[in-house]
Amino acid sequence: MIQTAPNIGTTLTKNQNDVEMRKVFKVFEGHTAVRGVDFNIRQGEFFSILGPSGCGKTTTLRLIAGFETPSAGEIIIRGQSMSQTPAYRRPVNTVFQSYALFNHLSVKDNIAFGLRIKRLGKTETEEKVAQALQLVKMEKFAHRYPNQISGGQQQRVALARALVNRPAVLLLDEPLGALDFKLRKEMQMELSNIHRDLGVTFVMVTHDQEEAMSMSDRIAVMHEGRIEQIGSPQEIYERPESPFVANFIGDTNLFQGRVEYNSDSTVVVKTDSGLKISIEQSKVRGKTGEIYGGASVVLSIRPEKVNLSLYSPDVSENCFEGRLTNVMYMGTHVHYQLNLSSGDQMMVRQPNTEGTLPNQDTPIYVYWSKQNCLALSEPRL
């Protein structure tokens, strides 16, 4: 466990929003990169902005940092409007994917750089640098240079350099993108521990769904410059509000269709390929929260919530015959791809139970409960 370094964090006022984005737009030469982004980030929160390349997430982070100026709207940090505040005067620090360390300075001097710019006294600077080194477990590397340490260690130095200035908000721009898979996993845990111990507000931009899910208190999913949905990782995954969110966060099977039957407890949708799929009424999602007979919907079924059987199971709904087209052994689980008799393709993910795997081209049945299907009342894809 990472030990908390005294005096690194900032004192927070209870129930305060550290960052507020109020209907912010950003236009570059006629192209609108950010479209009316509106959200609050709570004190001490780990908040992630997640989305594909070009969705506006990095521009949003740069607007908070002050590297870009809004075309419209307002940004407020710690209750103060930032409209007239340049980047260097904002109570934020940024950690970049490239780390941006000074190769001619030692680890210790990299961390001390910002403090010396502020003209802090030598004794106070040394104390704060020592605390920051302790925080990221880099005390033994204080006199090495960036090219003498690993990528993960460089990332820790970049974090220490940002945190030593006691920012109200730490901005993280794809902070783990340059690391290999195993080291990225380790650094996710390190970041989570540091955030928990310090209580500083973290705002992270990433395109990595698993990274955002594993570390965040809340996630804002962006698409084409807009916020599609904000919620906890569980809310985003289990209760997506649009086909885009359902498809972007993890894997899912999507079916388009129209409502054929609607009762107080059950909705039946006939897909474009002719499947009749039953959904629990409480599993209807979308902007209106309601769907009616004949309404166009998109259905989402997560692959881990689909069952497989070599024999026709004794179930009355949501059971369809198909044929395996691919079986991929992934260690912790097995990933199946199959074609249904309707012509639809499906993904199924099953835990690894060390059983014998079926061969490709094997006839098979898929089935799932109506509680494990979502109906998204959004425009057709």
Side-chain angles (χ1 to χ4, degrees):
M1 179 176 174
I2 297 178
Q3 298 297 316
T4 303
N7 301 320
I8 292 289
T10 54
T11 301
L12 300 174
T13 303
K14 191 175 182 180
N15 298 323
Q16 177 178 316
N17 285 322
D18 274 352
V19 179
E20 298 176 51
M21 301 282 283
R22 297 182 178 177
K23 301 190 186 310
V24 174
F25 288 78
K26 180 60 182 178
V27 180
F28 294 103
E29 298 179 351
H31 169 68
T32 305
V34 174
R35 301 171 181 269
V37 167
D38 197 293
F39 59 71
N40 297 332
I41 301 174
R42 304 163 189 152
Q43 62 176 31
E45 188 172 30
F46 199 127
F47 187 91
S48 290
I49 304 172
L50 174 67
S53 298
C55 73
K57 60 187 185 294
T58 296
T59 300
T60 300
L61 196 78
R62 290 176 61 82
L63 287 164
I64 297 171
F67 302 143
E68 303 288 352
T69 303
S71 304
E74 187 175 21
I75 299 170
I76 295 171
I77 300 178
R78 283 288 174 92
Q80 300 293 319
S81 174
M82 295 290 108
S83 58
Q84 302 299 321
T85 306
Y88 69 91
R89 290 194 177 276
R90 297 190 181 193
V92 304
N93 275 101
T94 305
V95 176
F96 300 97
Q97 180 178 347
S98 63
Y99 313 139
L101 299 177
F102 300 114
N103 289 323
H104 66 289
L105 297 180
S106 67
V107 165
K108 182 177 179 180
D109 288 336
N110 262 284
I111 296 171
F113 184 81
L115 299 176
R116 288 170 179 161
I117 292 293
K118 292 181 177 179
R119 299 187 182 277
L120 262 65
K122 182 178 180 181
T123 300
E124 186 178 2
T125 296
E126 289 181 351
E127 288 177 356
K128 291 183 182 300
V129 170
Q131 292 165 2
L133 285 166
Q134 178 189 353
L135 177 71
V136 298
K137 298 181 179 179
M138 289 293 291
E139 304 100 310
K140 296 179 180 179
F141 302 90
H143 299 290
R144 293 195 186 180
Y145 289 82
N147 62 1
Q148 297 174 323
I149 58 178
S150 69
Q153 290 167 336
Q154 290 180 38
Q155 174 70 347
R156 293 182 186 186
V157 175
L159 277 169
R161 184 177 63 180
L163 288 167
V164 78
N165 286 305
R166 305 181 188 179
V169 180
L170 183 67
L171 306 177
L172 302 154
D173 186 8
E174 301 275 5
L176 309 181
L179 305 179
D180 63 44
F181 179 79
K182 185 175 181 180
L183 188 53
R184 191 162 68 246
K185 293 291 185 184
E186 293 175 2
M187 285 304 300
Q188 287 175 11
M189 187 65 70
E190 296 278 3
L191 271 176
S192 294
N193 288 340
I194 290 172
H195 171 258
R196 183 192 62 222
D197 290 346
L198 294 183
V200 173
T201 301
F202 280 22
V203 183
M204 180 176 72
V205 155
T206 181
H207 66 273
D208 188 316
Q209 298 96 323
E210 185 177 329
E211 192 169 282
M213 296 279 286
S214 65
M215 294 192 289
S216 309
D217 296 312
R218 285 191 304 152
I219 299 170
V221 182
M222 285 194 76
H223 179 47
E224 295 181 345
R226 296 184 176 90
I227 300 294
E228 286 271 330
Q229 185 175 349
I230 297 177
S232 69
Q234 185 175 8
E235 289 169 343
I236 294 288
Y237 188 82
E238 298 290 349
R239 297 186 292 279
E241 293 179 354
S242 72
F244 173 81
V245 175
N247 198 34
F248 187 75
I249 303 295
D251 294 323
T252 196
N253 296 287
L254 296 179
F255 297 90
Q256 295 175 326
R258 292 189 177 275
V259 175
E260 190 171 81
Y261 172 79
N262 193 348
S263 72
D264 290 340
S265 62
T266 303
V267 174
V268 176
V269 172
K270 185 175 183 180
T271 70
D272 292 353
S273 60
L275 300 178
K276 288 191 177 182
I277 299 177
S278 297
I279 309 101
E280 190 175 85
Q281 182 68 250
S282 65
K283 297 297 182 177
V284 174
R285 294 284 179 265
K287 295 185 182 302
T288 65
E290 300 179 18
I291 56 176
Y292 304 95
S296 176
V297 296
V298 177
L299 305 182
S300 170
I301 304 107
R302 296 290 186 188
E304 71 274 12
K305 296 184 178 182
V306 180
N307 302 298
L308 290 177
S309 175
L310 293 173
Y311 309 98
S312 179
D314 186 19
V315 294
S316 60
E317 56 190 9
N318 299 341
C319 179
F320 307 102
E321 190 174 0
R323 188 172 290 273
L324 287 174
T325 59
N326 202 349
V327 179
M328 292 178 283
Y329 178 82
M330 307 297 289
T332 58
H333 65 276
V334 182
H335 186 88
Y336 300 93
Q337 291 180 307
L338 55 128
N339 285 334
L340 301 183
S341 299
S342 62
D344 295 295
Q345 294 184 334
M346 283 200 73
M347 299 177 290
V348 180
R349 186 177 298 122
Q350 300 276 288
N352 178 14
T353 57
E354 299 187 24
T356 302
L357 299 179
N359 296 320
Q360 293 183 26
D361 206 36
T362 299
I364 203 158
Y365 291 88
V366 295
Y367 61 100
W368 61 88
S369 72
K370 65 181 182 180
Q371 293 87 0
N372 287 331
C373 183
L374 292 176
L376 304 170
S377 55
E378 291 287 270
R380 294 168 72 83
L381 296 177

